[in-house]
Amino acid sequence: FQYLKRFDQGCNLDTFCYEAHSVEGSPAECLQQFLLHCGMTDPSWAELRNFTWFLNVQLRDCEASVFCNPDFVHDTLQGF
């Protein structure tokens, strides 16, 4: 939710890192973001769950990757 919210606001996601147990927004805002970005018109709960699970895994791997660390790559992979 935090990444999607910042993406919609046009923030630089390269410098954002999720902090465990941090809470932003309401459950309704979270659900609205997932519905906007899941890519389906009327998703089931299972489809929303799969979307959020997959997104979470991808973002966790991205944060853990040295190649996505702005302190390591500087501006060599801008926009990647």
Side-chain angles (χ1 to χ4, degrees):
F1 165 74
Q2 293 177 12
Y3 272 96
L4 294 175
K5 180 180 173 183
R6 283 167 176 75
F7 175 77
D8 282 348
Q9 294 171 344
C11 296
N12 181 1
L13 297 177
D14 292 340
T15 58
F16 177 70
C17 189
Y18 171 74
E19 187 176 318
H21 307 294
S22 63
V23 177
E24 293 182 14
S26 68
E29 289 174 306
C30 182
L31 180 59
Q32 183 179 22
Q33 284 293 327
F34 292 153
L35 289 170
L36 285 172
H37 292 279
C38 76
M40 302 185 83
T41 305
D42 187 20
S44 67
W45 284 111
E47 291 164 332
L48 280 176
R49 187 234 177 252
N50 289 338
F51 168 71
T52 57
W53 174 81
F54 179 76
L55 185 61
N56 186 50
V57 168
Q58 295 300 308
L59 292 170
R60 190 175 354 147
D61 289 348
C62 179
E63 286 184 354
S65 172
V66 69
F67 297 107
C68 296
N69 183 335
D71 295 330
F72 177 73
V73 297
H74 303 288
D75 64 352
T76 57
L77 298 174
Q78 187 68 28
F80 179 71

